[in-house]
Amino acid sequence: MIRTKPCVFAIKDRYEITVLVTEVSVMWVKVGDKCYCDEYNGVMKSGKLVHKISVPMSELDKAGEYTVYERAMIERTPYFSKVSEACSYTYNFYPVKDGNARAYHIADTHCLTDEPVRAAKAYGDIDFLILNGDVQEDSGKLEYFDTIFEIAASITKGEKPVVFSRGNHDLRGMFAEELADYTPTENGNTYYTFKLGSVWGIVLDCGEDKDDTHAEYHDTVCCHIFRQRQTEFIKDVIKNADKEYNQAGVKTRLVIVHNPFTEQIGDPFNIEADIYREWASLLKENVKPHAMICGHIHECYVSYPGDEHDQLGNPSSVVVASKIEREKRYYAGCGFEFGDGCINGRFTDSNGKTVDEFTLTK
């Protein structure tokens, strides 16, 4: 009844174990001797073909495995509901350890699956996966969300953490408002922080890439006020620095965001310069990230502060890391090794080749 292996999303100090199913069911996860349910105020959820279960990061890291339990919902009635016998599936889990860590970045696959997986495998073993927006074509069809889980399952097998960021195409279509049921949120927000081993990151969400009034959207987005809320979020993170990027053990500080917002690429995409300039300034002066990792441009390159791509003041070097040529079934992403004194990056493609390499000094 489980359609793909689980996706273990990392968010703040917890994981959200998310599972696609073939029929409506109730689900819970056991970690050690504790059970965690997909529930809402004590009511087990059974209305959708997806389950999302929150588990404390420390508990799963310690246990090193988890078991997913599921009962098919045969008939849900006010009294004596009918469910099937429970099925269970056990998965190993490998937390990101302190010290050097390896990750692979994928964005802008637009429903390609085999090609980005081949690019990731060309890089080799990783400790966690970054899925950075526009992984699906858009949100016009619910089945497009499957791409997220097919890619994650092929690379992580439900055994390693995934960091997820929303892209601009994800806001488009009938099911855009349901994406939050399938992907991680913090208090309903698609922006948050995380810590995996020695790597700390802040995930930001630019929303759409054109002004809210653009005819393409026809009053279906309100991203300006959404971005204003994130300005306050960044300030709150800075106020809590000792529990965020300045906490003990952090050796690498990242910004994960789909759109490289300090790069202005021309009308109608040159929007929110004041907001994005403030984001960059706040991050640069306080968080001092070692890298900002993005997609969106459908190319692979590194933008350094002050270069031709930097119009609004890069908070750090910006790695744009997703090249797609859909008609050629070609894809390239980027692998990262986060070390003590530097970040080593390698762009790899669906042909199994290394396209380019770079090193960022911390």
Side-chain angles (χ1 to χ4, degrees), residues 7-18 31 36 52-62 66 93-96 160-162 184 195-197:
C7 192
V8 184
F9 293 115
I11 179 168
K12 289 290 288 186
D13 57 355
R14 58 190 172 86
Y15 298 114
E16 288 187 345
I17 299 175
T18 307
V31 178
Y36 304 89
K52 186 165 68 170
I53 301 164
S54 183
V55 173
M57 193 173 280
S58 59
E59 294 294 324
L60 183 51
D61 286 355
K62 180 173 65 176
Y66 62 98
F93 186 74
Y94 302 97
V96 180
K160 296 177 181 180
V162 178
K195 181 177 178 292
L196 294 171

PDB file of all heavy atoms in Angstrom, residues 7-18 31 36 52-62 66 93-96 160-162 184 195-197:
ATOM      1  N   CYS A   7      10.121   9.668   2.596  1.00  0.00           N
ATOM      2  CA  CYS A   7      11.041  10.794   2.479  1.00  0.00           C
ATOM      3  C   CYS A   7      11.183  11.394   3.870  1.00  0.00           C
ATOM      4  O   CYS A   7      10.182  11.796   4.486  1.00  0.00           O
ATOM      5  CB  CYS A   7      10.485  11.824   1.502  1.00  0.00           C
ATOM      6  SG  CYS A   7      11.673  13.087   1.010  1.00  0.00           S
ATOM      7  N   VAL A   8      12.405  11.437   4.388  1.00  0.00           N
ATOM      8  CA  VAL A   8      12.645  11.921   5.748  1.00  0.00           C
ATOM      9  C   VAL A   8      13.131  13.373   5.653  1.00  0.00           C
ATOM     10  O   VAL A   8      14.323  13.645   5.506  1.00  0.00           O
ATOM     11  CB  VAL A   8      13.661  11.033   6.490  1.00  0.00           C
ATOM     12  CG1 VAL A   8      13.818  11.505   7.937  1.00  0.00           C
ATOM     13  CG2 VAL A   8      13.224   9.571   6.455  1.00  0.00           C
ATOM     14  N   PHE A   9      12.185  14.303   5.714  1.00  0.00           N
ATOM     15  CA  PHE A   9      12.516  15.719   5.609  1.00  0.00           C
ATOM     16  C   PHE A   9      13.082  16.225   6.930  1.00  0.00           C
ATOM     17  O   PHE A   9      12.559  15.917   8.011  1.00  0.00           O
ATOM     18  CB  PHE A   9      11.273  16.531   5.266  1.00  0.00           C
ATOM     19  CG  PHE A   9      10.718  16.277   3.889  1.00  0.00           C
ATOM     20  CD1 PHE A   9       9.470  15.699   3.726  1.00  0.00           C
ATOM     21  CD2 PHE A   9      11.433  16.627   2.757  1.00  0.00           C
ATOM     22  CE1 PHE A   9       8.942  15.464   2.463  1.00  0.00           C
ATOM     23  CE2 PHE A   9      10.923  16.409   1.487  1.00  0.00           C
ATOM     24  CZ  PHE A   9       9.675  15.826   1.337  1.00  0.00           C
ATOM     25  N   ALA A  10      14.150  17.023   6.859  1.00  0.00           N
ATOM     26  CA  ALA A  10      14.752  17.640   8.042  1.00  0.00           C
ATOM     27  C   ALA A  10      14.245  19.063   8.175  1.00  0.00           C
ATOM     28  O   ALA A  10      14.277  19.844   7.216  1.00  0.00           O
ATOM     29  CB  ALA A  10      16.273  17.643   7.926  1.00  0.00           C
ATOM     30  N   ILE A  11      13.775  19.415   9.381  1.00  0.00           N
ATOM     31  CA  ILE A  11      13.255  20.760   9.626  1.00  0.00           C
ATOM     32  C   ILE A  11      13.419  21.070  11.109  1.00  0.00           C
ATOM     33  O   ILE A  11      12.998  20.285  11.967  1.00  0.00           O
ATOM     34  CB  ILE A  11      11.787  20.873   9.168  1.00  0.00           C
ATOM     35  CG1 ILE A  11      11.235  22.265   9.434  1.00  0.00           C
ATOM     36  CG2 ILE A  11      10.914  19.807   9.779  1.00  0.00           C
ATOM     37  CD1 ILE A  11       9.901  22.522   8.741  1.00  0.00           C
ATOM     38  N   LYS A  12      14.093  22.200  11.383  1.00  0.00           N
ATOM     39  CA  LYS A  12      14.397  22.576  12.779  1.00  0.00           C
ATOM     40  C   LYS A  12      15.087  21.409  13.492  1.00  0.00           C
ATOM     41  O   LYS A  12      16.113  20.931  13.046  1.00  0.00           O
ATOM     42  CB  LYS A  12      13.128  23.020  13.513  1.00  0.00           C
ATOM     43  CG  LYS A  12      12.598  24.352  13.035  1.00  0.00           C
ATOM     44  CD  LYS A  12      13.483  25.518  13.438  1.00  0.00           C
ATOM     45  CE  LYS A  12      13.429  25.854  14.892  1.00  0.00           C
ATOM     46  NZ  LYS A  12      14.203  27.079  15.220  1.00  0.00           N
ATOM     47  N   ASP A  13      14.511  20.942  14.588  1.00  0.00           N
ATOM     48  CA  ASP A  13      15.109  19.864  15.370  1.00  0.00           C
ATOM     49  C   ASP A  13      14.291  18.584  15.267  1.00  0.00           C
ATOM     50  O   ASP A  13      14.261  17.769  16.183  1.00  0.00           O
ATOM     51  CB  ASP A  13      15.235  20.278  16.835  1.00  0.00           C
ATOM     52  CG  ASP A  13      13.903  20.684  17.453  1.00  0.00           C
ATOM     53  OD1 ASP A  13      12.883  20.739  16.727  1.00  0.00           O
ATOM     54  OD2 ASP A  13      13.876  20.975  18.668  1.00  0.00           O
ATOM     55  N   ARG A  14      13.631  18.388  14.116  1.00  0.00           N
ATOM     56  CA  ARG A  14      12.788  17.206  13.940  1.00  0.00           C
ATOM     57  C   ARG A  14      12.846  16.748  12.485  1.00  0.00           C
ATOM     58  O   ARG A  14      13.359  17.442  11.612  1.00  0.00           O
ATOM     59  CB  ARG A  14      11.346  17.516  14.327  1.00  0.00           C
ATOM     60  CG  ARG A  14      10.722  18.653  13.541  1.00  0.00           C
ATOM     61  CD  ARG A  14       9.372  19.090  14.117  1.00  0.00           C
ATOM     62  NE  ARG A  14       8.879  20.292  13.465  1.00  0.00           N
ATOM     63  CZ  ARG A  14       8.178  20.308  12.349  1.00  0.00           C
ATOM     64  NH1 ARG A  14       7.865  19.151  11.763  1.00  0.00           N
ATOM     65  NH2 ARG A  14       7.772  21.419  11.803  1.00  0.00           N
ATOM     66  N   TYR A  15      12.336  15.541  12.278  1.00  0.00           N
ATOM     67  CA  TYR A  15      12.139  15.022  10.935  1.00  0.00           C
ATOM     68  C   TYR A  15      10.646  14.893  10.673  1.00  0.00           C
ATOM     69  O   TYR A  15       9.867  14.591  11.587  1.00  0.00           O
ATOM     70  CB  TYR A  15      12.784  13.639  10.781  1.00  0.00           C
ATOM     71  CG  TYR A  15      14.277  13.595  10.965  1.00  0.00           C
ATOM     72  CD1 TYR A  15      14.842  12.906  12.038  1.00  0.00           C
ATOM     73  CD2 TYR A  15      15.133  14.206  10.053  1.00  0.00           C
ATOM     74  CE1 TYR A  15      16.219  12.833  12.198  1.00  0.00           C
ATOM     75  CE2 TYR A  15      16.513  14.146  10.211  1.00  0.00           C
ATOM     76  CZ  TYR A  15      17.041  13.460  11.290  1.00  0.00           C
ATOM     77  OH  TYR A  15      18.414  13.403  11.451  1.00  0.00           O
ATOM     78  N   GLU A  16      10.251  15.116   9.438  1.00  0.00           N
ATOM     79  CA  GLU A  16       8.896  14.806   9.012  1.00  0.00           C
ATOM     80  C   GLU A  16       8.977  13.634   8.043  1.00  0.00           C
ATOM     81  O   GLU A  16       9.426  13.783   6.904  1.00  0.00           O
ATOM     82  CB  GLU A  16       8.230  16.016   8.357  1.00  0.00           C
ATOM     83  CG  GLU A  16       7.879  17.095   9.357  1.00  0.00           C
ATOM     84  CD  GLU A  16       7.066  18.238   8.762  1.00  0.00           C
ATOM     85  OE1 GLU A  16       6.996  18.360   7.522  1.00  0.00           O
ATOM     86  OE2 GLU A  16       6.501  19.013   9.551  1.00  0.00           O
ATOM     87  N   ILE A  17       8.588  12.462   8.530  1.00  0.00           N
ATOM     88  CA  ILE A  17       8.599  11.254   7.708  1.00  0.00           C
ATOM     89  C   ILE A  17       7.325  11.263   6.875  1.00  0.00           C
ATOM     90  O   ILE A  17       6.213  11.186   7.407  1.00  0.00           O
ATOM     91  CB  ILE A  17       8.696   9.996   8.581  1.00  0.00           C
ATOM     92  CG1 ILE A  17       9.996  10.021   9.392  1.00  0.00           C
ATOM     93  CG2 ILE A  17       8.608   8.735   7.722  1.00  0.00           C
ATOM     94  CD1 ILE A  17      10.126   8.882  10.386  1.00  0.00           C
ATOM     95  N   THR A  18       7.484  11.385   5.556  1.00  0.00           N
ATOM     96  CA  THR A  18       6.351  11.576   4.661  1.00  0.00           C
ATOM     97  C   THR A  18       6.270  10.400   3.703  1.00  0.00           C
ATOM     98  O   THR A  18       7.266  10.007   3.097  1.00  0.00           O
ATOM     99  CB  THR A  18       6.484  12.898   3.894  1.00  0.00           C
ATOM    100  OG1 THR A  18       6.695  13.961   4.853  1.00  0.00           O
ATOM    101  CG2 THR A  18       5.246  13.199   3.076  1.00  0.00           C
ATOM    102  N   VAL A  31       9.651   4.626  16.661  1.00  0.00           N
ATOM    103  CA  VAL A  31      11.086   4.877  16.784  1.00  0.00           C
ATOM    104  C   VAL A  31      11.487   4.457  18.192  1.00  0.00           C
ATOM    105  O   VAL A  31      10.993   5.019  19.172  1.00  0.00           O
ATOM    106  CB  VAL A  31      11.421   6.363  16.554  1.00  0.00           C
ATOM    107  CG1 VAL A  31      12.912   6.598  16.743  1.00  0.00           C
ATOM    108  CG2 VAL A  31      10.981   6.806  15.166  1.00  0.00           C
ATOM    109  N   TYR A  36       4.638   7.564  17.020  1.00  0.00           N
ATOM    110  CA  TYR A  36       4.263   8.912  16.582  1.00  0.00           C
ATOM    111  C   TYR A  36       3.230   8.752  15.464  1.00  0.00           C
ATOM    112  O   TYR A  36       3.457   8.006  14.504  1.00  0.00           O
ATOM    113  CB  TYR A  36       5.485   9.678  16.085  1.00  0.00           C
ATOM    114  CG  TYR A  36       6.592   9.762  17.111  1.00  0.00           C
ATOM    115  CD1 TYR A  36       7.571   8.762  17.192  1.00  0.00           C
ATOM    116  CD2 TYR A  36       6.653  10.819  18.013  1.00  0.00           C
ATOM    117  CE1 TYR A  36       8.585   8.831  18.136  1.00  0.00           C
ATOM    118  CE2 TYR A  36       7.669  10.898  18.961  1.00  0.00           C
ATOM    119  CZ  TYR A  36       8.621   9.901  19.027  1.00  0.00           C
ATOM    120  OH  TYR A  36       9.623   9.974  19.970  1.00  0.00           O
ATOM    121  N   LYS A  52       2.175  12.396   6.811  1.00  0.00           N
ATOM    122  CA  LYS A  52       3.350  13.154   7.254  1.00  0.00           C
ATOM    123  C   LYS A  52       3.399  13.092   8.767  1.00  0.00           C
ATOM    124  O   LYS A  52       2.488  13.570   9.450  1.00  0.00           O
ATOM    125  CB  LYS A  52       3.269  14.598   6.755  1.00  0.00           C
ATOM    126  CG  LYS A  52       4.506  15.415   7.053  1.00  0.00           C
ATOM    127  CD  LYS A  52       4.549  16.704   6.242  1.00  0.00           C
ATOM    128  CE  LYS A  52       3.496  17.701   6.638  1.00  0.00           C
ATOM    129  NZ  LYS A  52       3.726  19.019   5.996  1.00  0.00           N
ATOM    130  N   ILE A  53       4.472  12.515   9.288  1.00  0.00           N
ATOM    131  CA  ILE A  53       4.574  12.225  10.717  1.00  0.00           C
ATOM    132  C   ILE A  53       5.833  12.864  11.274  1.00  0.00           C
ATOM    133  O   ILE A  53       6.946  12.612  10.793  1.00  0.00           O
ATOM    134  CB  ILE A  53       4.579  10.706  10.957  1.00  0.00           C
ATOM    135  CG1 ILE A  53       3.293  10.082  10.388  1.00  0.00           C
ATOM    136  CG2 ILE A  53       4.716  10.391  12.443  1.00  0.00           C
ATOM    137  CD1 ILE A  53       3.356   8.586  10.222  1.00  0.00           C
ATOM    138  N   SER A  54       5.676  13.682  12.293  1.00  0.00           N
ATOM    139  CA  SER A  54       6.789  14.401  12.900  1.00  0.00           C
ATOM    140  C   SER A  54       7.445  13.562  13.994  1.00  0.00           C
ATOM    141  O   SER A  54       6.761  13.007  14.864  1.00  0.00           O
ATOM    142  CB  SER A  54       6.281  15.726  13.492  1.00  0.00           C
ATOM    143  OG  SER A  54       7.348  16.469  14.026  1.00  0.00           O
ATOM    144  N   VAL A  55       8.775  13.473  13.928  1.00  0.00           N
ATOM    145  CA  VAL A  55       9.559  12.677  14.873  1.00  0.00           C
ATOM    146  C   VAL A  55      10.728  13.520  15.365  1.00  0.00           C
ATOM    147  O   VAL A  55      11.395  14.180  14.562  1.00  0.00           O
ATOM    148  CB  VAL A  55      10.093  11.398  14.184  1.00  0.00           C
ATOM    149  CG1 VAL A  55      11.042  10.635  15.084  1.00  0.00           C
ATOM    150  CG2 VAL A  55       8.945  10.508  13.745  1.00  0.00           C
ATOM    151  N   PRO A  56      11.004  13.549  16.670  1.00  0.00           N
ATOM    152  CA  PRO A  56      12.159  14.310  17.152  1.00  0.00           C
ATOM    153  C   PRO A  56      13.460  13.830  16.501  1.00  0.00           C
ATOM    154  O   PRO A  56      13.728  12.630  16.427  1.00  0.00           O
ATOM    155  CB  PRO A  56      12.162  14.043  18.663  1.00  0.00           C
ATOM    156  CG  PRO A  56      10.754  13.649  18.988  1.00  0.00           C
ATOM    157  CD  PRO A  56      10.259  12.923  17.781  1.00  0.00           C
ATOM    158  N   MET A  57      14.260  14.758  16.034  1.00  0.00           N
ATOM    159  CA  MET A  57      15.503  14.415  15.360  1.00  0.00           C
ATOM    160  C   MET A  57      16.422  13.591  16.265  1.00  0.00           C
ATOM    161  O   MET A  57      17.028  12.607  15.828  1.00  0.00           O
ATOM    162  CB  MET A  57      16.196  15.707  14.908  1.00  0.00           C
ATOM    163  CG  MET A  57      17.329  15.535  13.937  1.00  0.00           C
ATOM    164  SD  MET A  57      17.950  17.128  13.313  1.00  0.00           S
ATOM    165  CE  MET A  57      16.727  17.503  12.056  1.00  0.00           C
ATOM    166  N   SER A  58      16.516  13.984  17.518  1.00  0.00           N
ATOM    167  CA  SER A  58      17.419  13.293  18.439  1.00  0.00           C
ATOM    168  C   SER A  58      17.022  11.836  18.634  1.00  0.00           C
ATOM    169  O   SER A  58      17.880  10.952  18.779  1.00  0.00           O
ATOM    170  CB  SER A  58      17.453  14.016  19.790  1.00  0.00           C
ATOM    171  OG  SER A  58      16.149  14.068  20.353  1.00  0.00           O
ATOM    172  N   GLU A  59      15.706  11.545  18.647  1.00  0.00           N
ATOM    173  CA  GLU A  59      15.239  10.180  18.861  1.00  0.00           C
ATOM    174  C   GLU A  59      15.575   9.282  17.676  1.00  0.00           C
ATOM    175  O   GLU A  59      16.061   8.159  17.841  1.00  0.00           O
ATOM    176  CB  GLU A  59      13.723  10.175  19.114  1.00  0.00           C
ATOM    177  CG  GLU A  59      13.298  10.849  20.402  1.00  0.00           C
ATOM    178  CD  GLU A  59      13.795  10.119  21.638  1.00  0.00           C
ATOM    179  OE1 GLU A  59      13.845   8.873  21.627  1.00  0.00           O
ATOM    180  OE2 GLU A  59      14.160  10.798  22.622  1.00  0.00           O
ATOM    181  N   LEU A  60      15.318   9.767  16.457  1.00  0.00           N
ATOM    182  CA  LEU A  60      15.599   8.942  15.278  1.00  0.00           C
ATOM    183  C   LEU A  60      17.100   8.802  15.066  1.00  0.00           C
ATOM    184  O   LEU A  60      17.587   7.731  14.681  1.00  0.00           O
ATOM    185  CB  LEU A  60      14.926   9.534  14.037  1.00  0.00           C
ATOM    186  CG  LEU A  60      15.069   8.743  12.738  1.00  0.00           C
ATOM    187  CD1 LEU A  60      14.686   7.280  12.925  1.00  0.00           C
ATOM    188  CD2 LEU A  60      14.228   9.373  11.638  1.00  0.00           C
ATOM    189  N   ASP A  61      17.854   9.868  15.306  1.00  0.00           N
ATOM    190  CA  ASP A  61      19.308   9.791  15.176  1.00  0.00           C
ATOM    191  C   ASP A  61      19.877   8.712  16.102  1.00  0.00           C
ATOM    192  O   ASP A  61      20.785   7.960  15.724  1.00  0.00           O
ATOM    193  CB  ASP A  61      19.949  11.139  15.503  1.00  0.00           C
ATOM    194  CG  ASP A  61      19.754  12.174  14.405  1.00  0.00           C
ATOM    195  OD1 ASP A  61      19.204  11.828  13.345  1.00  0.00           O
ATOM    196  OD2 ASP A  61      20.156  13.335  14.622  1.00  0.00           O
ATOM    197  N   LYS A  62      19.334   8.643  17.306  1.00  0.00           N
ATOM    198  CA  LYS A  62      19.821   7.678  18.287  1.00  0.00           C
ATOM    199  C   LYS A  62      19.410   6.254  17.929  1.00  0.00           C
ATOM    200  O   LYS A  62      20.204   5.312  18.048  1.00  0.00           O
ATOM    201  CB  LYS A  62      19.294   8.040  19.679  1.00  0.00           C
ATOM    202  CG  LYS A  62      19.737   7.110  20.789  1.00  0.00           C
ATOM    203  CD  LYS A  62      19.306   7.632  22.149  1.00  0.00           C
ATOM    204  CE  LYS A  62      17.795   7.655  22.289  1.00  0.00           C
ATOM    205  NZ  LYS A  62      17.355   8.071  23.644  1.00  0.00           N
ATOM    206  N   TYR A  66      13.558   3.114  11.863  1.00  0.00           N
ATOM    207  CA  TYR A  66      12.172   3.421  12.182  1.00  0.00           C
ATOM    208  C   TYR A  66      11.276   2.439  11.455  1.00  0.00           C
ATOM    209  O   TYR A  66      11.641   1.871  10.415  1.00  0.00           O
ATOM    210  CB  TYR A  66      11.819   4.858  11.807  1.00  0.00           C
ATOM    211  CG  TYR A  66      11.924   5.182  10.328  1.00  0.00           C
ATOM    212  CD1 TYR A  66      10.808   5.186   9.498  1.00  0.00           C
ATOM    213  CD2 TYR A  66      13.165   5.517   9.760  1.00  0.00           C
ATOM    214  CE1 TYR A  66      10.918   5.484   8.152  1.00  0.00           C
ATOM    215  CE2 TYR A  66      13.280   5.828   8.416  1.00  0.00           C
ATOM    216  CZ  TYR A  66      12.155   5.816   7.612  1.00  0.00           C
ATOM    217  OH  TYR A  66      12.262   6.119   6.275  1.00  0.00           O
ATOM    218  N   PHE A  93      18.201   4.083   9.286  1.00  0.00           N
ATOM    219  CA  PHE A  93      18.367   5.529   9.145  1.00  0.00           C
ATOM    220  C   PHE A  93      19.771   5.913   9.549  1.00  0.00           C
ATOM    221  O   PHE A  93      20.275   5.479  10.579  1.00  0.00           O
ATOM    222  CB  PHE A  93      17.350   6.303   9.996  1.00  0.00           C
ATOM    223  CG  PHE A  93      17.418   7.785   9.763  1.00  0.00           C
ATOM    224  CD1 PHE A  93      16.908   8.334   8.600  1.00  0.00           C
ATOM    225  CD2 PHE A  93      18.034   8.626  10.682  1.00  0.00           C
ATOM    226  CE1 PHE A  93      16.997   9.695   8.350  1.00  0.00           C
ATOM    227  CE2 PHE A  93      18.121   9.990  10.443  1.00  0.00           C
ATOM    228  CZ  PHE A  93      17.598  10.522   9.275  1.00  0.00           C
ATOM    229  N   TYR A  94      20.404   6.755   8.705  1.00  0.00           N
ATOM    230  CA  TYR A  94      21.788   7.163   8.920  1.00  0.00           C
ATOM    231  C   TYR A  94      21.831   8.674   9.130  1.00  0.00           C
ATOM    232  O   TYR A  94      21.783   9.440   8.170  1.00  0.00           O
ATOM    233  CB  TYR A  94      22.645   6.760   7.720  1.00  0.00           C
ATOM    234  CG  TYR A  94      22.598   5.276   7.448  1.00  0.00           C
ATOM    235  CD1 TYR A  94      21.730   4.748   6.494  1.00  0.00           C
ATOM    236  CD2 TYR A  94      23.399   4.397   8.175  1.00  0.00           C
ATOM    237  CE1 TYR A  94      21.670   3.380   6.258  1.00  0.00           C
ATOM    238  CE2 TYR A  94      23.357   3.025   7.948  1.00  0.00           C
ATOM    239  CZ  TYR A  94      22.486   2.528   6.990  1.00  0.00           C
ATOM    240  OH  TYR A  94      22.426   1.169   6.764  1.00  0.00           O
ATOM    241  N   PRO A  95      21.911   9.112  10.371  1.00  0.00           N
ATOM    242  CA  PRO A  95      21.956  10.561  10.632  1.00  0.00           C
ATOM    243  C   PRO A  95      23.255  11.164  10.146  1.00  0.00           C
ATOM    244  O   PRO A  95      24.269  10.469   9.983  1.00  0.00           O
ATOM    245  CB  PRO A  95      21.853  10.640  12.165  1.00  0.00           C
ATOM    246  CG  PRO A  95      22.402   9.338  12.649  1.00  0.00           C
ATOM    247  CD  PRO A  95      21.994   8.318  11.615  1.00  0.00           C
ATOM    248  N   VAL A  96      23.221  12.464   9.903  1.00  0.00           N
ATOM    249  CA  VAL A  96      24.433  13.178   9.508  1.00  0.00           C
ATOM    250  C   VAL A  96      25.292  13.367  10.756  1.00  0.00           C
ATOM    251  O   VAL A  96      24.837  13.934  11.749  1.00  0.00           O
ATOM    252  CB  VAL A  96      24.096  14.541   8.876  1.00  0.00           C
ATOM    253  CG1 VAL A  96      25.376  15.268   8.465  1.00  0.00           C
ATOM    254  CG2 VAL A  96      23.178  14.349   7.664  1.00  0.00           C
ATOM    255  N   LYS A 160      18.126   8.463   4.614  1.00  0.00           N
ATOM    256  CA  LYS A 160      18.937   9.657   4.861  1.00  0.00           C
ATOM    257  C   LYS A 160      18.063  10.901   4.788  1.00  0.00           C
ATOM    258  O   LYS A 160      17.015  10.900   4.129  1.00  0.00           O
ATOM    259  CB  LYS A 160      20.076   9.736   3.833  1.00  0.00           C
ATOM    260  CG  LYS A 160      21.056   8.578   3.961  1.00  0.00           C
ATOM    261  CD  LYS A 160      22.140   8.626   2.898  1.00  0.00           C
ATOM    262  CE  LYS A 160      23.087   7.436   3.052  1.00  0.00           C
ATOM    263  NZ  LYS A 160      24.162   7.449   2.034  1.00  0.00           N
ATOM    264  N   PRO A 161      18.472  11.979   5.449  1.00  0.00           N
ATOM    265  CA  PRO A 161      17.638  13.186   5.495  1.00  0.00           C
ATOM    266  C   PRO A 161      17.561  13.899   4.149  1.00  0.00           C
ATOM    267  O   PRO A 161      18.471  13.818   3.322  1.00  0.00           O
ATOM    268  CB  PRO A 161      18.336  14.078   6.535  1.00  0.00           C
ATOM    269  CG  PRO A 161      19.267  13.184   7.277  1.00  0.00           C
ATOM    270  CD  PRO A 161      19.660  12.102   6.316  1.00  0.00           C
ATOM    271  N   VAL A 162      16.458  14.634   3.987  1.00  0.00           N
ATOM    272  CA  VAL A 162      16.227  15.458   2.803  1.00  0.00           C
ATOM    273  C   VAL A 162      15.882  16.871   3.261  1.00  0.00           C
ATOM    274  O   VAL A 162      15.022  17.057   4.130  1.00  0.00           O
ATOM    275  CB  VAL A 162      15.073  14.907   1.945  1.00  0.00           C
ATOM    276  CG1 VAL A 162      14.808  15.820   0.741  1.00  0.00           C
ATOM    277  CG2 VAL A 162      15.370  13.485   1.483  1.00  0.00           C
ATOM    278  N   PRO A 184       7.799  19.682   3.932  1.00  0.00           N
ATOM    279  CA  PRO A 184       7.950  20.174   5.306  1.00  0.00           C
ATOM    280  C   PRO A 184       7.539  21.632   5.475  1.00  0.00           C
ATOM    281  O   PRO A 184       7.761  22.470   4.603  1.00  0.00           O
ATOM    282  CB  PRO A 184       9.446  19.998   5.577  1.00  0.00           C
ATOM    283  CG  PRO A 184      10.081  20.031   4.235  1.00  0.00           C
ATOM    284  CD  PRO A 184       9.102  19.394   3.304  1.00  0.00           C
ATOM    285  N   LYS A 195      19.505  21.834  11.250  1.00  0.00           N
ATOM    286  CA  LYS A 195      20.889  21.483  11.595  1.00  0.00           C
ATOM    287  C   LYS A 195      21.053  19.985  11.413  1.00  0.00           C
ATOM    288  O   LYS A 195      20.321  19.191  12.026  1.00  0.00           O
ATOM    289  CB  LYS A 195      21.230  21.872  13.033  1.00  0.00           C
ATOM    290  CG  LYS A 195      22.682  21.549  13.411  1.00  0.00           C
ATOM    291  CD  LYS A 195      23.006  22.012  14.825  1.00  0.00           C
ATOM    292  CE  LYS A 195      24.446  21.644  15.230  1.00  0.00           C
ATOM    293  NZ  LYS A 195      24.636  20.187  15.375  1.00  0.00           N
ATOM    294  N   LEU A 196      21.985  19.614  10.559  1.00  0.00           N
ATOM    295  CA  LEU A 196      22.312  18.214  10.306  1.00  0.00           C
ATOM    296  C   LEU A 196      23.797  18.025  10.559  1.00  0.00           C
ATOM    297  O   LEU A 196      24.634  18.536   9.806  1.00  0.00           O
ATOM    298  CB  LEU A 196      21.967  17.833   8.863  1.00  0.00           C
ATOM    299  CG  LEU A 196      20.475  17.846   8.495  1.00  0.00           C
ATOM    300  CD1 LEU A 196      20.290  17.667   7.000  1.00  0.00           C
ATOM    301  CD2 LEU A 196      19.726  16.760   9.267  1.00  0.00           C
ATOM    302  N   GLY A 197      24.135  17.360  11.649  1.00  0.00           N
ATOM    303  CA  GLY A 197      25.534  17.234  12.032  1.00  0.00           C
ATOM    304  C   GLY A 197      26.132  18.600  12.289  1.00  0.00           C
ATOM    305  O   GLY A 197      25.612  19.382  13.098  1.00  0.00           O
TER     306      GLY A 197
END
